[in-house]
Amino acid sequence: MRTLAFQMPDRGGGPTGPRIRVGRPSRRARTLLMTLGVLAVLGMAFVMFAGFWTQWLWYRSVNYSSVFTTTLWTKIGLFFVFGLLMAAAVGFNIWLAHRLRPPLSAMSMEQQSLDRYRMGIAPYKKWLLLGITALVGLIAGASASSQWRTWLMWVNGVPFHQKDPQFHLDVAFYAFDLPWYRFLLGFGFAATVLSLIAAALTHYLYGGLRITSPGARATAAATGHLSVLLGVFVALKAVAYWLDRYGLAVKSSDFKATGNWTGLRYVDANAYLPAKTILFCIAVICALLFFATLWRRTWQLPVIGFGLMVLSAILIGGLYPAIVQKFQVQPNEQAKEAPYVDKNIKATRDAYGIDSTQVTEYAGESDTKDKSTLRDDVDTAASIRLLDPNIVSPTFQQLQQMKNYYAFPTNLDVDRYNKDGKDQDTVIGLRELNLRGIPKQNWINDHFRYTHGFGVVAAKGTTADSNGQPVFTESDLPSSGDLPSYEQRIYYGEKTSTYSIVGGPQKEIDYSDDSGEKTTSYRAKSGVSLSSPINRAAYAVAFSEPQILYSGAIGDGSRILYNRTPKERVEAVAPWLTIDGDAYPAVVDGRIQWIVDAYTTTNGYPYASRTTLGDTTADSLTAGNTQRAVVAQQNQVNYIRNSVKATVDAYTGEVKLYQWDTEDPVLKTWMKAFPGTVKPRADISSSLMSHLRYPQDLFKVQRELLTRYHVKDAQTFLSGSEVWQVPDDPTNKSGNAVPPYYLSMKMPDQQSQAFSLTTTFTPNGRDNLSAFMAVDSEAGTSDYGKIRVLKLPTSKTVGGPKQVQSQFNSNSQQNIAEFVRLIRGGDSEIEYGNLLTVPLDGGLLYVEPVYVRGGELKYPLLRKVLVTYGGSTAFEDTLDQALNKVFGPESSTPTPPETGTTKPPPSGNPTVQQALGDAQKAFDAGQEALKKGDWKAYGDAQKDLQDALKRAEEAQSKAGGTGGGKPPAGSSASPSSSPSGSPSASGGG
């Protein structure tokens, strides 16, 4: 009878309402509606196809189709596997609940009200079941496909060969395995909960569960079914408790002694860890009790077990750890937490690559009494860069833009180029395409005629000319200078954000000169061919530009270029990498190559404290400048390596990835997942190696961690007495961190200068200097990546950047305040360049270029140089003059005659008298021009002054040195000094 009851039809019957006839639309209307529906479906299908097809074409064009296919098939596989699993789980439990529905019984009011719903869905049960399962399957599949990185890292993971100090498992378990297990656990919970809800609703609809009806609330079949599902849920909870034990090693929490904290603390190891183990055991027992209802058919024991588990979670998992924290840890926190802080310090230093940081005590002041003996040491200590790449872009723009449709990036870059066998710090920028400067904007001009920039512009970083302008080593259009011949056209760059169609019948504007406009046609095989009508239609849809489909400007050979910024291209071909914010250009083997630093990261390194990349890498340059911001800013990481150096050819767009960190297990994992995409380090040519450098964003992450983790002793770490901070940029009022600076310099333990990346630290909450940090950035050398920190004594105060800047601004003896007042009183503005810090003989030399935007041009020119060392400050026209004033002249430089008189004294030599008179006039004219802010007149006066002084010296030499006179006050009589902002050959480096 029971079997027959289960086969009885659903309840049904009851009166039906009157039938209402609705007029059917005409045949013509039905045909039209059907046609429109088919067209709409085809249109939607083609839009989806266009997105997929254009992506495939682009990856094929850059020879990284394996990245596209591997990613695509992984997503598809995860979508179908987990979508089908979810659909099967929910569908099976709905089917089973329907199959276990009770036989027809006396109708209660509750059942009568449900009867209409049963009757309504009866004809559509199969379709409803398919619809529900398809919906949950689609949602689950879409969610699972987004976990393609987690799957690939799990299935391809390689060991770190490092074990965590708590569970002694390889770090790979936390970085690669645990995230995948957590995903599986989350999927299991979702499938169980959805199945439980669907089964409960089905049982209720068909009478297996009753809420208001008299008698039993659930049939034995419904009780057994739902108990099993609850048992599965509790069993998964037991697994969750077990995984939570390992999760403690990578758990982030707030720790008042250190702020952000990752890993176990005393309360975790001694309260939470045993609590999780106990809760695991209770959950297993509770799950078995739920499964036992298949035989006992009663909820009593499972409910008791579940209540016990909840109570245990509250008492053991919540109250007990709070008691331990309150009564064991807080009364003696440092002693309790010290062993765990030791583990955190070691893991964090390992994970961020700062474990080998060399910290050296540094006096902060020189013991040398006679500063003149240090003058010759300055030039060997550093090649002091006066040209600030973050300020002089408008100057490059004004002097080298040539056409309005060219532009330079807001921040230029610093590189090294060899000149006469010596590396020279160089400020470099590319003359990129600026569509906003096109004389007449239309679709043809924007995408066919103006397609590329042209040429490199470079200038010496350590000097300026007599007018305060950069001394260009590569300039003009076409560019010429010290660089060997190279392909100058720039189709891929930081400012190239739109698509171009090249290589077809429409000629492109190359550049213009005195003979007129030059045209060209793109010759490389980059981009995607538009010869196929399908390709043209797909791009017309993808770019919402129908003219691509029918324009006569597109023909044989036409190719479409897009995804043209270097960072965008590298991120697309290697989506597992985090991209540095600063891509920089270099001329390598006759090509302009964009060099892009890329990182492998994870947030699963046990005990290593986490950081948010966007916050850690922010400084005064990234504020409001998205081009300099690190990609994936919101990523929280606790392990980072500069594992890949990438290049993007500015003409062809070719992307090459080179393995830089050969030991990084995260990169090895991705190289297994995407074989053949990353070239070995040995493939890096020597010419490219000479331009590689230590990346800024990695340096900024490391310096932020070193504010706390330069300390190795747990007690000192917990006390917080040695916490540093990165100072705010003193050259502006943004309130953002000072950016690091590239500089060729020599640290105390180095024998010669090395290209370095430098920064300073101040004590937490104070402005005096606490440390100076530099990392060797010379790629290919044995010391590359070596971090050196000079730690200043806490017993004395050494001026920090903000204090030094304040001293500069308020110095009355050097007339700095008067100079600033005069400049700002006219139609000019003051801009302070990078405040450079150089260790020298136990002290610290600060050098800051001062720029003036004057007149109507509004672009900065180098006008003054500020120098301070050991309490002495100089504010002069040139670096040499400023250094000579602080230290005295170089041994190779003749001592200048005394200054201080305003009129030339009598001289027996009339030629000398005339020359000194001319010098006085030139000096007075220069001072008058300075007050008016007339920089052209000031520069001319400085030239006249130098000529006059030279004539006076020559006349004195011919007369045997008799009848000497004094130069005008404030001038320099040294013939080797350069006027108005140009360092002499001996001072600029």
Side-chain angles (χ1 to χ4, degrees):
M1 290 297 294
R2 182 176 177 84
T3 305
L4 292 175
F6 272 90
Q7 294 176 349
M8 290 180 67
D10 298 328
R11 295 185 177 93
T16 60
R19 295 186 178 181
I20 301 175
R21 294 184 62 87
V22 180
R24 298 180 63 188
S26 65
R27 182 185 298 273
R28 184 175 181 182
R30 292 200 306 272
T31 303
L32 178 62
L33 289 173
M34 186 175 295
T35 303
L36 291 175
V38 171
L39 289 176
V41 171
L42 290 176
M44 292 175 62
F46 188 78
V47 168
M48 296 174 63
F49 168 77
F52 165 81
W53 186 242
T54 53
Q55 270 197 314
W56 160 248
L57 291 174
W58 186 85
Y59 275 97
R60 191 175 64 176
S61 73
V62 293
N63 298 318
Y64 282 89
S65 55
S66 63
V67 174
F68 179 79
T69 54
T70 300
T71 305
L72 178 64
W73 285 116
T74 303
K75 289 180 178 180
I76 291 174
L78 293 172
F79 177 86
F80 279 105
V81 169
F82 286 95
L84 289 173
L85 284 175
M86 180 65 77
V90 175
F92 171 76
N93 281 282
I94 292 175
W95 173 84
L96 184 60
H98 179 266
R99 181 71 181 272
L100 297 176
R101 66 191 184 280
L104 186 63
S105 61
M107 295 286 287
S108 65
M109 294 299 296
E110 182 180 17
Q111 293 303 311
Q112 288 179 20
S113 63
L114 291 173
D115 212 28
R116 69 185 68 179
Y117 296 106
R118 288 193 288 266
M119 181 180 63
I121 66 173
Y124 312 105
K125 284 190 298 185
K126 290 183 179 179
W127 293 109
L128 188 61
L129 178 62
L130 289 174
I132 292 173
T133 55
L135 178 63
V136 296
L138 286 172
I139 295 173
S143 176
S145 66
S146 66
Q147 298 294 321
W148 63 272
R149 290 180 176 87
T150 308
W151 161 258
L152 288 176
M153 292 183 77
W154 177 68
V155 78
N156 295 287
V158 301
F160 277 67
H161 299 296
Q162 291 176 295
K163 294 184 177 181
D164 78 283
Q166 182 66 43
F167 301 103
H168 307 292
L169 297 174
D170 193 276
V171 173
F173 171 80
Y174 301 93
F176 306 141
D177 300 343
L178 190 58
W180 178 249
Y181 297 153
R182 282 176 163 168
F183 163 72
L184 291 178
L185 185 63
F187 177 83
F189 273 124
T192 304
V193 170
L194 289 175
S195 297
L196 185 61
I197 293 172
L201 288 174
T202 306
H203 279 299
Y204 176 70
L205 184 63
Y206 288 97
L209 291 177
R210 304 179 182 89
I211 298 176
T212 61
S213 301
R217 299 296 183 187
T219 63
T223 300
H225 184 195
L226 297 180
S227 294
V228 170
L229 289 176
L230 288 170
V232 171
F233 179 87
V234 177
L236 290 174
K237 188 62 180 173
V239 176
Y241 282 134
W242 189 257
L243 289 181
D244 285 346
R245 298 169 68 257
Y246 303 111
L248 292 172
V250 290
K251 182 194 71 172
S252 286
S253 60
D254 289 328
F255 188 19
K256 66 178 182 180
T258 62
N260 181 277
W261 172 275
T262 300
L264 286 85
R265 289 155 51 191
Y266 180 89
V267 69
D268 296 312
N270 294 277
Y272 281 110
L273 187 57
K276 297 292 183 182
T277 305
I278 294 171
L279 288 171
F280 164 77
C281 297
I282 294 174
V284 170
I285 295 170
C286 186
L288 293 175
L289 291 176
F290 273 107
F291 293 142
T293 58
L294 284 174
W295 295 274
R296 291 180 57 85
R297 304 291 182 175
T298 176
W299 290 91
Q300 186 176 5
L301 286 179
V303 169
I304 293 174
F306 188 77
L308 176 63
M309 187 178 74
V310 173
L311 183 62
S312 301
I314 295 172
L315 296 178
I316 302 175
L319 185 59
Y320 174 63
I323 293 173
V324 171
Q325 179 68 25
K326 179 71 175 177
F327 295 102
Q328 291 191 36
V329 177
Q330 289 185 6
N332 192 16
E333 187 172 52
Q334 290 205 359
K336 296 291 187 181
E337 300 289 13
Y340 304 95
V341 172
D342 282 331
K343 297 174 184 178
N344 177 265
I345 291 174
K346 184 180 184 306
T348 302
R349 290 171 62 88
D350 287 342
Y352 289 95
I354 56 177
D355 52 310
S356 58
T357 298
Q358 176 183 305
V359 180
T360 307
E361 298 293 333
Y362 193 69
E365 60 183 17
S366 174
D367 293 332
T368 304
K369 301 300 181 183
D370 184 5
K371 292 182 182 177
S372 62
T373 61
L374 301 177
R375 177 62 183 90
D376 291 337
D377 296 336
V378 175
D379 296 333
T380 59
S383 296
I384 297 173
R385 180 170 44 75
L386 297 178
L387 211 61
D388 187 343
N390 306 309
I391 287 183
V392 298
S393 179
T395 308
F396 273 52
Q397 188 86 353
Q398 182 68 32
L399 302 178
Q400 288 294 320
Q401 180 187 20
M402 303 303 181
K403 300 294 180 181
N404 285 338
Y405 49 82
Y406 294 132
F408 292 92
T410 305
N411 304 101
L412 304 178
D413 288 290
V414 178
D415 202 350
R416 299 94 67 215
Y417 285 87
N418 193 278
K419 176 70 173 176
D420 299 327
K422 182 180 179 182
D423 282 342
Q424 176 178 273
D425 287 3
T426 302
V427 175
I428 186 172
L430 301 189
R431 195 183 286 113
E432 294 190 47
L433 179 66
N434 174 31
L435 287 177
R436 288 180 294 183
I438 293 176
K440 184 179 180 181
Q441 287 193 294
N442 54 52
W443 190 64
I444 293 295
N445 279 345
D446 290 354
H447 300 289
F448 291 82
R449 296 277 287 161
Y450 295 92
T451 59
H452 59 280
F454 207 96
V456 169
V457 176
K460 293 181 179 179
T462 55
T463 188
D465 69 10
S466 59
N467 292 318
Q469 298 177 355
V471 177
F472 292 108
T473 58
E474 187 79 10
S475 59
D476 301 331
L477 188 67
S479 294
S480 60
D482 293 346
L483 296 178
S485 177
Y486 62 96
E487 173 56 68
Q488 298 200 18
R489 297 170 183 86
I490 302 160
Y491 283 86
Y492 296 87
E494 289 182 304
K495 300 180 74 68
T496 315
S497 57
T498 188
Y499 70 90
S500 290
I501 298 176
V502 298
Q506 181 68 59
K507 291 292 185 180
E508 309 163 43
I509 293 176
D510 210 12
Y511 64 91
S512 299
D513 58 16
D514 294 338
S515 61
E517 191 177 88
K518 308 292 185 182
T519 60
T520 188
S521 287
Y522 190 64
R523 299 185 301 275
K525 296 300 182 183
S526 179
V528 178
S529 172
L530 294 178
S531 58
S532 165
I534 295 178
N535 290 1
R536 292 176 66 170
Y539 280 103
V541 171
F543 291 164
S544 300
E545 185 50 72
Q547 293 186 79
I548 295 177
L549 186 60
Y550 55 78
S551 174
I554 301 175
D556 291 339
S558 290
R559 311 182 74 83
I560 186 167
L561 312 180
Y562 61 104
N563 288 352
R564 297 169 70 184
T565 64
K567 291 192 294 185
E568 187 178 32
R569 293 179 77 78
V570 175
E571 185 183 20
V573 302
W576 62 89
L577 293 175
T578 299
I579 311 301
D580 189 89
D582 184 25
Y584 59 98
V587 177
V588 181
D589 298 329
R591 318 285 297 187
I592 300 174
Q593 298 282 356
W594 288 99
I595 300 174
V596 183
D597 286 287
Y599 310 109
T600 46
T601 63
T602 180
N603 65 355
Y605 197 100
Y607 271 103
S609 291
R610 287 189 174 93
T611 187
T612 303
L613 290 180
D615 296 337
T616 309
T617 59
D619 59 28
S620 61
L621 298 182
T622 62
N625 184 358
T626 55
Q627 283 189 347
R628 292 298 291 268
V630 65
V631 179
Q633 292 190 58
Q634 300 307 312
N635 279 11
Q636 271 210 336
V637 305
N638 68 352
Y639 171 93
I640 185 169
R641 290 290 186 272
N642 176 212
S643 53
V644 171
K645 300 282 189 181
T647 61
V648 178
D649 192 295
Y651 183 74
T652 66
E654 181 183 18
V655 182
K656 292 182 180 179
L657 307 176
Y658 296 99
Q659 182 183 15
W660 184 246
D661 190 331
T662 57
E663 301 300 322
D664 177 31
V666 181
L667 179 61
K668 291 179 180 179
T669 295
W670 286 119
M671 290 174 67
K672 279 183 64 179
F674 296 93
T677 56
V678 181
K679 298 178 180 295
R681 179 168 176 157
D683 286 2
I684 300 177
S685 65
S686 58
S687 53
L688 174 59
M689 183 71 76
S690 66
H691 293 283
L692 300 182
R693 68 189 192 189
Y694 202 81
Q696 291 189 56
D697 284 336
L698 175 60
F699 183 78
K700 286 188 280 189
V701 170
Q702 290 173 327
R703 75 172 178 178
E704 183 64 33
L705 269 296
L706 280 171
T707 58
R708 289 177 292 142
Y709 287 94
H710 65 278
V711 174
K712 297 181 181 179
D713 175 63
Q715 298 294 336
T716 307
F717 188 89
L718 284 166
S719 70
S721 61
E722 291 290 326
V723 174
W724 299 338
Q725 66 181 15
V726 179
D728 293 342
D729 192 341
T731 65
N732 57 58
K733 298 180 180 180
S734 67
N736 296 300
V738 63
Y741 297 124
Y742 286 107
L743 182 69
S744 289
M745 56 164 291
K746 181 175 70 173
M747 291 291 275
D749 65 328
Q750 291 179 296
Q751 299 302 314
S752 60
Q753 292 182 17
F755 191 63
S756 304
L757 193 53
T758 66
T759 192
T760 53
F761 295 107
T762 59
N764 193 26
R766 300 184 61 193
D767 293 325
N768 57 290
L769 196 68
S770 57
F772 175 80
M773 173 182 172
V775 62
D776 194 318
S777 301
E778 291 272 8
T781 63
S782 59
D783 274 354
Y784 172 83
K786 183 175 182 178
I787 300 174
R788 296 175 170 89
V789 175
L790 303 181
K791 184 176 180 294
L792 279 74
T794 56
S795 58
K796 63 178 68 174
T797 300
V798 179
K802 191 173 181 179
Q803 292 174 326
V804 170
Q805 187 69 54
S806 179
Q807 292 170 9
F808 281 162
N809 296 343
S810 60
N811 193 305
S812 58
Q813 294 181 350
Q814 300 296 328
N815 297 318
I816 300 174
E818 179 67 14
F819 175 82
V820 173
R821 186 185 66 79
L822 289 172
I823 293 300
R824 289 178 176 169
D827 188 23
S828 302
E829 299 175 3
I830 294 284
E831 286 193 34
Y832 293 104
N834 35 223
L835 179 58
L836 302 176
T837 308
V838 178
L840 179 65
D841 191 48
L844 292 163
L845 172 69
Y846 286 98
V847 180
E848 183 176 58
V850 179
Y851 294 85
V852 174
R853 291 178 182 256
E856 298 178 355
L857 296 178
K858 295 297 183 185
Y859 64 91
L861 297 173
L862 179 64
R863 289 307 182 190
K864 294 284 184 178
V865 179
L866 280 161
V867 172
T868 186
Y869 182 81
S872 299
T873 300
F875 182 62
E876 301 297 330
D877 293 339
T878 70
L879 177 61
D880 267 354
Q881 291 173 2
L883 292 174
N884 288 343
K885 190 158 189 176
V886 170
F887 296 99
E890 293 177 288
S891 60
S892 59
T893 305
T895 303
E898 295 180 12
T899 63
T901 60
T902 56
K903 294 182 180 180
S907 171
N909 190 327
T911 305
V912 174
Q913 281 188 319
Q914 179 64 42
L916 291 176
D918 293 342
Q920 181 65 51
K921 291 178 182 178
F923 177 77
D924 292 339
Q927 295 302 304
E928 186 66 25
L930 184 61
K931 292 179 181 180
K932 295 179 180 178
D934 187 345
W935 294 107
K936 184 178 185 305
Y938 179 76
D940 294 340
Q942 292 296 300
K943 290 181 180 178
D944 294 340
L945 172 63
Q946 203 74 1
D947 292 340
L949 292 174
K950 187 175 181 179
R951 284 190 282 113
E953 185 173 357
E954 289 174 351
Q956 283 179 314
S957 299
K958 290 179 180 178
T962 61
K966 296 180 180 180
S971 68
S972 172
S974 172
S976 65
S977 298
S978 304
S980 184
S982 175
S984 69
S986 61

